[in-house]
Structure formats: C-alpha cells, structure tokens
Amino acid sequence: MTSLTDMSLLEAAASLRSGDTTSLALTEACLKRIHQLDPALHAFLALASDQALEQAQAADAGLQKWRRDRSQELPLVYGIPLAIKDVLCLQDVPTTCGSRILEGFLPPYTATSVARLLSAGAVVLGKTNTDEFAMGSSTENSAYGPTHNPWDIGRVPGGSSGGSAAAVAAGLCFAALGTDTGGSIRQPAAFCGVTGLKTSYGRVSRYGLIAYGSSLDTVGALARSAAELAPLFTVMAGHDELDSTSLTDPVPEVDFGTVTLKGVRIGVPEEYFIEGVQLEVEAAVRLAVQVMSELGATIVPTSLPHTDLALPVYYLIAPAEASANLARYDAVRFGPRIEADDLWDQYLQTRGQLFGSEVKRRIMLGTYALSAGYYDAYYGQAQKVRTLIKADFDQAFESVDLIACPVAPTTAFRIGEHGDDPLSMYLEDVFTLPANLAGVPGISFPVGFDSKGLPIGMQLMAPPLGEARLLQSAHAYQQVTDWHTRRPALS
Amino acid sequence: MAISLEEVRHIAFLARLELTPEEQELYAKQLSAILEYAARLTEVDTDQIPPTASVLPLKAPLRRDVVRPSLPHALILRNAPATERGMFRVPPVLE
C-alpha cells in the first residue's frame, strides 16, 4: 500500500477535492510518520498536533461545502499539512529560533507568511529545527541538537533551514517554510535532495520573522518539486501593511501549462566553477545545464567578477545587523532570565550564558565591525563592495535571463566535520551569499547524486521578482528528469 | 589583523556578553582569522562607489494613519520573566 505521505502536494490536493482522502487523514498520516521517524532525524522542535487536527477538521468541513458548491476555487494548499521553520512566529506555539534565550517563548501573534497560508486553509504541523537564530550552514548550531540528513543520518541536512529540508525529504510534511539570509533555504534543499525557493528581497512579508540580518533576510519554501512550491509562493508573496519593506508589486500566478525553455538565455558564471568544488557536483551541474539546453535554452558564458568578495562582505554585514537585532534579548520582556543583583549583570549573564557559541561569535564580529574606529574600514567598506556585487548581477542580467551554478561546493558533510573552524564552515555558503547581497531570487533543485549516494543541487538565479520564471524553469527540468522523485530509504 | 584579548573584552562589554576566559581566548583567535580573511576587501578601490544599505528603492509605501487595536496587554506580558502591576519588572538600575 502506498502511504498518504508518498503523494505529492498536488496529488494530495486532487485527492482532497475528489474526496478520496481527507485533510484529517493526511494530517494524521504526517503526525504518525513524524512519531516514527523524527526521533532519529530531529527535524522538529515542536509539534502543534492539537491545532493541526483542528485546522484539518475545519478544512474537511470546507471541502465538503465546496463539493456542493464549486463556484469558488480553493487554494491548492487547502487542507495540506505543512511545517514551519522555528524562526517564524506561530501564535501560542513555542518559538525558540533554536536558542536557549527564547526557551518557552509563546508568540502573541502569527507571522504574516504563516497567517496567509493558514487563511488559505493550510494545516501547520509544527516548528522545524534551525541553527540558532538561523546562523549556520548545518543545523548543528541549534541549542536543541542537530537535525540528521535523511539520506545519511551521520551527515548534516545543511542549514539553517535543515529541519524543514529534512522534514520534506523524509515525507514528514508536504512542504515547509524556510528562511534564507545567506543560503539557508537553497543549501539544505541541495543537501537533502529537495527543491527550495529563496524569494526576492522584499517579496514575502517578514512580519513575525525573528530578525537576523535585516537587509538580507527572506522567507521562502521547500518542497519536493518546483510545481509544489508555486502554491505556497503565490499565497505568501505580496505587500503587507505590517512590513514596510515588503514590495507592492503584483504577484503573478505561476503558469506551468506551456512551460518551455525556448528562448531562455542561461548564463553560466565561470567564478562558480572553482577549485574546491567537488568534481561530481561540477559534473552534475554541467550535465543539468546541458539538459536545459536540450529543452531549448541558450547557454552563454557570463561573469560575476566580484563573486570571491561576497563571503567577506556577507560575514561583516550580516553579523553587524545581527549584533543590532539581537540586542533585544535582554531578559526583560521575554525569554528566561539569569537572576542577578542588578540589571547590568542580568544582561551580561543572561546573554553570555544563553546565547550559543556561533551567535556570540557573530555578535562579537558585528559589534567590532560597527565600533568606533573600525566602522569605515569594515562595515562601510563591505557596504561599498556590496554595491559592486549587486552591479555584477545587474550587468549579467542585461544579457541573460537566468544564472545557473552549483548551490554548494560539496554534498552533505559529516556532523562535526567542521568542528571548531568557523571560517571553513562559512565557506560552505560561498555560492549562495551573492543572491542575498544582490536581493535576487534563487531556486535550488536536485540534479544528481554523488558516489556516496548523496543528493547534488543546482541553483538558478533570476532578476528581482523573477520567481515565476525560476519555478517554471526548474519545473521544465523536472518534467524530463526524475532526481526529485528519489526518496531516501527510511524505516 | 590580530585582535587582542583586551579588544575582545572591550567588544564583549559593548555587546553585553559575559565571556569565560576560555571564550575570550577562542574568540580572539577566531575573530582574528575571520578579519584577516576579510582584509581582502580593503584592496578593492571603492573611492567612487556608494554604499548599499538596502537593495530596495528608497521609497517606503505609506498606509493610512488610522487607529487600530494593539495586541492585548496580558498577551504581551505573558512571556516576561517577572511582572508587577502590569509592567515588566527588572532588578535595580540605580542604587
């Protein structure tokens, strides 16, 4: 018997409409699978079972009504069980950002991205694991322990949206929300063999997203294929009065009906095929580009000359913004408190003891980069080089529609492999950081496996607001390949 | 460039982080390595380049200035470690 959780989101949506299954059955199947598999994977930090079952029952009532009167179309996410990265607030469900400093925090409101999905009838199963405050590339920086990669539980799922990527890969939910500040959706999607969409900066409201690097943070989603991501994207995207940095541009429906790559110019930047890239990764990505060319795309060499500067720029700007954003954790309004004799000591001890090692490192780095005497040399200079990086993309997109490259230099690494060397971990992000600095959208999808049986991801980037083209292009590739249909062997 | 222990203590003080002596040693070493890597940015000529603080165009959309209900008081206070008479309670700030 094929299990309900083997269905794609679109198959599940069709079954809900035909009455072959119910949202309650889907939700119970996901919860059961979570109870079976998650003790080994640790993709979830909190389950919202009671709320999820209520949402499912409400969806089933709505579906029954819809079958009597079909004048109004239901959103494709209607009745579909999803998971939410634990940096997005969901009212009354513990939200920790993978940190001790938010242990026990119950948000008084729900993030707009999540609220829009709930209004569209989606079911939220729970909160997924993340590197503490989304700072990391492996989910090992979660204060609650790492998530394990479903393809090899000795390896990391990537990060920081590693819990969401692992949950989707293991079939614990039909799709999941993630966030991407420097690659945190695309890299775990690659490591776990799923499809992940990083939206344009400003495309999806960040109201209720707990801030990390405010000029870089984006909300997006992970699913098993591009076609399954589109329904989440169209519901979440669009202006929100509660986030003045959300764009007012209209959000198009993503049409998969006449998908072709004919006439699409795909640029392949030489700067992304450098020494240190695993040979199997390079080969798989080049082969996928070949497949896209056979589908009608024109492949042209392109150049993003400042690519090698993205890493130092990111690791000054993001920590600087983080050091300001994380000043709010003062144990006054929320979070646990280390009691001290005066307020001063309370700040020092609470923050010193309850922030994890990587978070403290980035706060220190950011504070240094912003401090008197160093501001111009570090933060100021990084902001200027950021202008050059963005200009690289503006220029490249004058002659190409999409940019194709690897997502990460390697496939999933072993838990503990990067040990105490933060710089070697930061290098994992070298191909994903530029999109955040430039504010452009990107999609990551599986294009093969290495000799160890680990998934390999490819990234496509588009000009701002180009999400529809990214989804359509990845879909075109997925129509003629089956990498995205492979599932890890789990029991 | 190398960061001294003295500088690490100063930054930790600015950031309101109490660090153990071991952490101070570790961060001195690691921050030095990261900043040394970042030093390549200083080689880029940016004299004529404006900084990018945000990739968004500099126009914030306006919304109507209307009074709307805020979140309930009790809901905001429920996460606080200590409250008193509807306020956040903290240890003494001044003697």
Side-chain angles (χ1 to χ4, degrees), chain A residues 99-304:
Chain A
S99 182
R100 294 270 174 233
I101 215 161
L102 274 175
E103 198 162 357
F105 176 67
L106 290 176
Y109 62 90
T110 297
T112 297
S113 52
V114 180
R116 286 185 179 177
L117 287 165
L118 287 170
S119 307
V123 173
V124 175
L125 296 164
K127 312 296 297 287
T128 54
N129 202 4
T130 168
D131 286 295
E132 185 173 357
F133 288 103
M135 296 181 195
S137 314
S138 69
T139 320
E140 291 169 290
N141 294 337
S142 168
Y144 304 98
T147 296
H148 299 261
N149 191 315
W151 293 91
D152 176 350
I153 60 163
R155 292 178 186 272
V156 304
S160 64
S161 310
S164 287
V168 170
L172 308 183
C173 56
F174 289 89
L177 295 199
T179 60
D180 194 315
T181 304
S184 282
I185 287 175
R186 290 161 289 156
Q187 185 252 23
F191 279 17
C192 291
V194 302
T195 308
L197 178 70
K198 175 221 174 284
T199 55
S200 313
Y201 183 76
R203 192 61 139 149
V204 175
S205 167
R206 297 180 293 171
Y207 179 72
L209 162 63
I210 297 174
Y212 159 26
S214 299
S215 79
L216 306 159
D217 290 340
T218 57
V219 179
L222 303 95
R224 284 175 279 201
S225 68
E228 295 166 84
L229 283 173
L232 278 80
F233 168 70
T234 48
V235 167
M236 288 195 296
H239 183 63
D240 173 18
E241 280 200 349
L242 299 172
D243 175 4
S244 63
T245 64
S246 64
L247 295 167
T248 52
D249 302 76
V251 180
E253 283 299 315
V254 186
D255 180 10
F256 291 113
T258 55
V259 162
T260 166
L261 289 177
K262 254 186 201 81
V264 177
R265 299 162 301 170
I266 299 182
V268 181
E270 52 189 300
E271 293 87 356
Y272 285 69
F273 296 86
I274 50 172
E275 208 186 310
V277 177
Q278 189 179 327
L279 289 178
E280 293 162 301
V281 170
E282 171 163 357
V285 170
R286 290 205 188 273
L287 194 61
V289 170
Q290 177 65 33
V291 169
M292 300 189 103
S293 129
E294 282 157 20
L295 289 169
T298 311
I299 311 302
V300 286
T302 191
S303 179
L304 299 163

Side-chain angles (χ1 to χ4, degrees), chain A residues 92 106-107 241 311 333-334 337 343-344 346 348 351 357 360-361 368 374 378 381 383-384 387 420, chain B residues 1 7 11 15-16 18 23 27 30 37 41 44 46 49-50 52 68 75 78-80 89 91-92:
Chain A
D92 301 336
L106 290 176
E241 280 200 349
L311 187 87
R333 292 151 299 161
F334 41 73
R337 172 185 286 185
L343 187 61
W344 185 255
Q346 181 187 294
L348 286 168
R351 292 165 59 82
S357 182
K360 283 188 280 192
R361 184 158 36 245
Y368 182 81
Y374 298 107
Y378 289 107
Q381 179 69 357
Q383 283 192 320
K384 289 178 178 176
T387 305
D420 242 358
Chain B
M1 70 167 287
E7 282 177 296
I11 303 161
R16 304 293 183 268
E18 187 173 77
E23 285 178 315
Y27 288 148
Q30 292 178 336
Y37 185 82
L41 292 181
V44 185
T46 54
I49 309 296
T52 295
R68 287 188 289 197
L75 202 56
R78 76 170 175 192
N79 283 296
R89 187 186 156 84

Side-chain angles (χ1 to χ4, degrees), chain A residues 91-92 104-109 201 215 239 241 244-248 309 311-313 316 331-335 337 340-344 346-349 351-352 355 357 360-361 363-365 367-368 371 374 378 381-388 390 420 422-423 426-427 437-439, chain B residues 1-3 7-19 23 26-27 30-31 33-47 49-57 59-64 68 71 75-82 88-93 95:
Chain A
Q91 189 174 350
D92 301 336
F105 176 67
L106 290 176
Y109 62 90
Y201 183 76
S215 79
H239 183 63
E241 280 200 349
S244 63
T245 64
S246 64
L247 295 167
T248 52
L309 298 174
L311 187 87
V313 167
L316 291 173
V332 171
R333 292 151 299 161
F334 41 73
R337 172 185 286 185
D341 290 340
D342 61 33
L343 187 61
W344 185 255
Q346 181 187 294
Y347 290 155
L348 286 168
Q349 291 182 29
R351 292 165 59 82
F355 279 136
S357 182
K360 283 188 280 192
R361 184 158 36 245
I363 291 175
M364 294 282 290
L365 187 55
T367 304
Y368 182 81
S371 65
Y374 298 107
Y378 289 107
Q381 179 69 357
Q383 283 192 320
K384 289 178 178 176
V385 179
R386 182 177 184 181
T387 305
L388 297 173
K390 184 173 181 298
D420 242 358
L423 200 51
Y426 298 169
L427 284 163
L437 292 169
Chain B
M1 70 167 287
I3 302 265
E7 282 177 296
V8 164
R9 288 192 201 106
H10 177 62
I11 303 161
F13 162 82
L14 291 176
R16 304 293 183 268
L17 293 170
E18 187 173 77
L19 300 181
E23 285 178 315
L26 183 71
Y27 288 148
Q30 292 178 336
L31 294 188
I34 295 165
L35 290 169
E36 195 180 318
Y37 185 82
R40 63 186 63 192
L41 292 181
T42 59
E43 291 157 25
V44 185
D45 179 4
T46 54
D47 280 354
I49 309 296
T52 295
S54 166
V55 295
L56 291 183
K59 55 168 175 47
L62 299 177
R63 61 172 160 78
R64 285 167 58 82
R68 287 188 289 197
L71 291 170
L75 202 56
I76 295 300
L77 284 177
R78 76 170 175 192
N79 283 296
F88 299 113
R89 187 186 156 84
V90 294
V93 182
E95 288 302 320

